[in-house]
Amino acid sequence: MYFLYGKKSIYRQEAQFSILSALRHQTHRESFSITVLTDQPQALAGWPVRVVALDEATLADWMGTAGYVHRRKACAIRLGLELARKSIFVDTDTIFLRDPAALFERVSDDQCVMDQFEFLWREASKRKDYTGLVSQLAASGGTPPASLRLYNSGICGMTAQGVAQMDQAIGLIDQWAHLHTQLHTLEQIAVSFVLADKQVAEARDCVHHYYSQKDYHHAMLKLFFQTHGEHFSQALVEASGEVPSHIPPLGLVDRVANKCKLWRLHPDLRKIGRYYLLGRTPRPGAYLKACREVWWGKALAALDKQQPSQKKRAQLEKLWGQDRDFRAFAERRAKLAD
């Protein structure tokens, strides 16, 4: 089950590619079906999915009175749970590494599936962004035990009985929603609260949830769909295997070579230099090469933020001064900024 809304094409491509990865790993055709809750049903015409169309009024209602955007996700999960005996909600920025049927085997009335464990309440409650929530819970007598486990909800699998739990989670979100500008993960915290007495299995061995590496995966997805188009076919399913599911680390030789170059830089410049070199170091395949300008964009963003002295800038010029590709990229970026 996916929830896709908004006008940005990259989110549509995230969902489409995730679906392709699920189908590529599917062993038995009838083992699961795919449902997409969306305000853009035409985007999935011809795809082997069930579409549940959402209108603007529904999406607005799902945001609640405080305008917390991720409340919509909790509402989407709740609606999806009414459509099948077992449901696995999947964030669009997710790539399947194994047959999704394996996740359904972990779901029962007594056990749910979540993306992965992140931290205990005792750790979370010390974070700056949790300050408001911690204070509100203490004032209301609702402080959870220190051992409460908080999960990422990029995968959320339950049986139909989970509707009641999602109602509880939405109730918690509404109690806390005024804090959403401080703590944007209120939705997954609320889900973790209502699962406190449940057995929870993790899904991370089956998926790669690339929320922290979106820019790189977006670059690869754009290249993939530019190359193959978005019209569904079995050939498109097979072609999706060309795209790396992870950004691989550099090999030992490249790491040592880059480290030597970075030691020549002032310590304040090494982050900038590291991003530049990550883009400069050759990587196999067109999809990883497509990430080059993402690394370079990070280098220039770090440079803009730091505003180093002319003396320090001279060190950077020695690092990339002869790199025509990088300089051309920097010029294009500057023109776009203007």
Side-chain angles (χ1 to χ4, degrees):
M1 172 175 59
Y2 293 87
F3 177 39
L4 172 65
Y5 68 96
K7 305 302 182 184
K8 291 187 177 181
S9 61
I10 192 60
Y11 295 139
R12 179 185 72 248
Q13 292 180 346
E14 281 187 357
Q16 290 173 327
F17 193 82
S18 184
I19 291 167
L20 293 173
S21 71
L23 294 174
R24 192 174 76 251
H25 289 288
Q26 186 178 32
T27 303
H28 301 293
R29 188 173 181 180
E30 304 302 323
S31 60
F32 62 85
S33 61
I34 299 174
T35 297
V36 183
L37 284 63
T38 182
D39 64 346
Q40 44 185 297
Q42 71 286 349
L44 294 163
W47 283 67
V49 301
R50 174 188 181 184
V51 171
V52 176
L54 303 173
D55 57 26
E56 291 185 11
T58 298
L59 290 173
D61 180 62
W62 281 3
M63 280 189 71
T65 56
Y68 174 46
V69 67
H70 295 307
R71 185 183 188 276
R72 289 172 167 171
K73 176 177 169 180
C75 293
I77 294 173
R78 188 209 179 280
L79 174 59
L81 292 175
E82 296 180 337
L83 305 178
R85 187 173 64 87
K86 293 182 179 182
S87 297
I88 307 287
F89 176 87
V90 184
D91 271 354
T92 57
D93 54 349
T94 302
I95 298 172
F96 280 92
L97 310 176
R98 294 176 56 194
D99 190 339
L103 294 180
F104 285 97
E105 295 174 359
R106 302 174 192 179
V107 174
S108 69
D109 289 339
D110 299 317
Q111 179 169 277
C112 301
V113 171
M114 297 291 279
D115 182 24
Q116 71 173 39
F117 165 71
E118 291 195 327
F119 30 68
L120 297 173
W121 179 255
R122 69 167 59 94
E123 300 161 347
S125 61
K126 297 174 183 176
R127 292 165 58 106
K128 184 177 180 180
D129 52 345
Y130 276 70
T131 301
L133 180 59
V134 169
S135 297
Q136 179 168 330
L137 292 172
S140 65
T143 300
S147 60
L148 177 76
R149 295 171 66 84
L150 298 178
Y151 294 91
N152 186 296
S153 62
I155 296 287
C156 183
M158 300 181 183
T159 66
Q161 291 187 12
V163 168
Q165 290 172 314
M166 290 308 303
D167 282 338
Q168 294 173 31
I170 293 168
L172 289 176
I173 290 170
D174 289 340
Q175 292 177 36
W176 305 338
H178 60 285
L179 300 169
H180 73 87
T181 55
Q182 305 171 27
L183 187 56
H184 71 278
T185 57
L186 289 174
E187 165 267 324
Q188 62 188 27
I189 297 169
V191 173
S192 296
F193 268 54
V194 302
L195 295 182
D197 297 327
K198 280 274 193 179
Q199 293 292 321
V200 178
E202 296 182 58
R204 191 45 66 96
D205 61 318
C206 292
V207 300
H208 175 45
H209 186 195
Y210 56 83
Y211 60 91
S212 63
Q213 297 180 319
K214 274 183 175 283
D215 290 346
Y216 309 105
H217 285 274
H218 286 177
M220 294 192 288
L221 294 186
K222 288 177 182 177
L223 176 59
F224 175 79
F225 287 108
Q226 286 171 3
T227 303
H228 298 284
E230 296 183 25
H231 178 74
F232 180 82
S233 66
Q234 187 57 37
L236 192 65
V237 174
E238 299 305 321
S240 67
E242 301 170 357
V243 183
S245 59
H246 294 77
I247 306 298
L250 294 180
L252 177 60
V253 172
D254 289 325
R255 292 202 307 272
V256 171
N258 286 355
K259 190 171 184 178
C260 290
K261 294 174 184 176
L262 291 172
W263 274 115
R264 301 170 190 165
L265 296 177
H266 188 280
D268 291 348
L269 305 177
R270 287 175 187 164
K271 181 178 180 179
I272 301 169
R274 183 178 302 108
Y275 283 139
Y276 165 71
L277 292 173
L278 284 169
R280 179 72 272 171
T281 306
R283 293 172 182 261
Y287 292 106
L288 291 177
K289 290 177 182 176
C291 298
R292 165 177 285 184
E293 293 190 354
V294 178
W295 290 117
W296 285 352
K298 288 181 179 293
L300 292 174
L303 178 62
D304 292 342
K305 183 177 181 180
Q306 188 175 134
Q307 291 292 312
S309 65
Q310 287 298 320
K311 184 176 180 180
K312 290 180 179 178
R313 279 182 176 271
Q315 293 185 35
L316 292 171
E317 284 297 325
K318 289 182 180 179
L319 181 66
W320 61 50
Q322 303 303 312
D323 189 336
R324 294 182 180 179
D325 292 338
F326 178 76
R327 298 185 76 86
F329 169 75
E331 290 173 4
R332 291 198 305 272
R333 182 178 178 274
K335 287 179 181 179
L336 288 174
D338 293 338

